[in-house]
Each structure stands twice: as C-alpha cells, then as structure tokens.
Amino acid sequence: MSPAAASRIAVVTGASSGIGAATARQLAAAGYRVVLTARRKDRIEALAKELTATGHQATAYALDVTDRAAVDEFAGAFKTIGVLVNNAGGALGADPVATGDPADWRQMYETNVIGTLNVTQALLPALTASGDGTVVVLSSTAAFSTYEGGGGYVAAKHAEHVLAETLRLEIVGTPVRVIEVAPGMVKTDEFALTRFGGDEEKAAKVYAGVAEPLTAEDVADTITWAITRPSHVNIDLLVVRPRAQASNAKVHREL
C-alpha cells in the first residue's frame, strides 16, 4: 500500500547499518522518501546514494540523537512527516550489576531512551500535522525480561518500552500511531561486536550454534509491515524472535 502524499516522509535514526539501514531500504521500496540519520555521515551518504541510484528518494543527515540542540535544528526543517523510526540505540558490555561500568549504563540510557525521547518530542508536531503519523520505537525482548550480564541494556530497553506505552496513552485521539517492535536475537555485523568492544570471539559466541538467528532484513520487514497497515490499525507491540529462541534465556544451539 503506497503512503498518502502528506505522509510520504519517513525519518529513520541509526540508519548507518544493521536494522536501521535495512528499514530505510524497505521503506524506500514501499514508496517513502526516507531521511537517513546517524552519526556516521559517510555511511548514510553512501546509503542515500545507493537508494537514489535505484530510483528512490533518500536524504542523509548526520545527527547524534543525544544532542538535543542538534535534534531540534534537524526537526525544524520539517512541517510534516509521516513516519519516525526510532532505531538508534545499542548495548555496551555484559558485566554483572556488581561490577558494571556506570559510564556504559549512562551511555546506553542516553542513546536508547533519551535519544528516542529527543527525536520523538522534536518531530511529534510534524507527525501530528501530517494527519496520519506513525512513531515506531524499536525496543527489544530485553524490554520484558532480564538476563545475567544484561542489567544496563535491559534497564534502558525497559525504559524505552515504558516511553512508547505512555506516549500511546497520552496522544490517543490524535492522528498518530505508536508502534513498538521488540526483536529477540538478531545477527548483524555490529551489534554484538560493539557490545564487546570489538572482541570478535566474544561476539561470535552470542550466535554460536544458532542455525538461523534473525537478520536485519527480517526485522525491517516486520517494521515496514506494521507501518504500512491501514491508518486505523495500530500494532501496539510486536515481539519477533527466531524459531530457535523461546526466550532470552532459552535458545536452541546445535554445537
């Protein structure tokens, strides 16, 4: 279903790689003019070039979602937008609560929660003005259950879930939907590697023996499906896991 003209702009945060880049590609294919934001300007510019070369509309804008002044300046360029995909986030470390680095906890909260808050607040007027807006919050199954070594990330994702749930309550009656997509195990090029400070061996162990973890494209497909439902249909919460994962702590591995 092609988006209405007034709602054809989709902003995707964290679009430089992984789920964000895959979502931008799929939304562009669905007829949206995508605005790619991330800190890594070279990556989003390359993606915008790739998309425009294949006949789609794409613009790159270097942005740190934790910088509120920069976010407000970015948002000032739009009178209306149709979609905001809050994808920027990530995990750092896997230390227990007793020895976790407070700086890592703070950074995860700032990126996953305050970043989502900043961009959502700044763009909500433009989403409302479109008459048919959609806010997507990409949380995680970590938003609903805990696991050892995940305290900081789990805390941030729980907060991000609460943000989405509360926003939905507060803006009911306006022409804006709030969709939360919560992926389980997703194998991307960077998530686990970033979490473990570039340690490839530790990153590989996350997916060891799992035949088919989710891919970025799987999650992007889910996000795009939810966005392209008819305007009166709100997918409040969609949890998506690979078949091999029954819960955060129960994963079938063939070792």
Side-chain angles (χ1 to χ4, degrees):
M1 183 177 65
S2 297
S7 306
R8 289 187 66 247
I9 299 174
V11 174
V12 181
T13 70
S16 58
S17 65
I19 294 170
T23 299
R25 289 187 178 98
Q26 293 198 27
L27 287 175
Y32 287 89
R33 178 164 75 85
V34 292
V35 180
L36 316 169
T37 75
R39 289 175 298 174
R40 293 179 292 186
K41 185 179 180 181
D42 58 332
R43 294 262 189 126
I44 54 174
E45 286 182 343
L47 179 54
K49 186 176 180 180
E50 169 199 318
L51 292 172
T52 55
T54 54
H56 302 304
Q57 293 182 289
T59 305
Y61 191 102
L63 182 67
D64 179 349
V65 296
T66 68
D67 183 339
R68 185 53 188 259
V71 169
D72 287 340
E73 182 179 356
F74 165 72
F78 302 97
K79 292 183 178 179
T80 66
I81 66 166
V83 175
L84 165 61
V85 180
N86 286 298
N87 167 73
L92 294 172
D95 296 322
V97 171
T99 57
D101 186 343
D104 286 347
W105 281 56
R106 187 174 295 110
Q107 186 174 338
M108 284 186 281
Y109 193 88
E110 285 286 336
T111 306
N112 290 281
V113 185
I114 302 303
T116 294
L117 177 67
N118 284 340
V119 182
T120 301
Q121 285 184 338
L123 289 177
L124 194 56
L127 286 155
T128 305
S130 75
D132 187 18
T134 299
V135 176
V136 177
V137 174
L138 192 76
S139 63
S140 166
T141 53
F144 307 100
S145 62
T146 60
Y147 59 92
E148 293 166 298
Y153 182 62
V154 167
K157 286 302 184 181
H158 270 65
E160 198 172 14
H161 163 67
V162 169
L163 185 160
E165 193 171 63
T166 306
L167 177 64
R168 190 181 301 113
L169 292 171
E170 292 172 344
I171 66 172
V172 66
T174 71
V176 180
R177 303 179 294 181
V178 180
I179 294 169
E180 180 180 358
V181 176
M185 180 181 285
V186 185
K187 186 176 183 180
T188 64
D189 291 337
E190 296 187 340
F191 181 84
L193 198 61
T194 298
R195 182 170 204 166
F196 294 111
D199 188 322
E200 294 183 2
E201 185 177 351
K202 284 186 177 180
K205 286 181 179 179
V206 173
Y207 312 104
V210 180
E212 292 182 288
L214 296 178
T215 66
E217 289 72 25
D218 292 329
V219 181
D221 182 57
T222 301
I223 293 168
T224 303
W225 175 84
I227 290 169
T228 54
R229 295 312 84 205
S231 298
H232 70 287
V233 178
N234 196 107
I235 308 300
D236 282 19
L237 171 64
L238 200 162
V239 177
V240 53
R241 291 188 176 99
R243 186 173 59 189
Q245 183 183 35
S247 74
N248 286 350
K250 182 72 172 180
V251 180
H252 176 67
R253 299 178 188 270
E254 299 175 357
L255 297 173

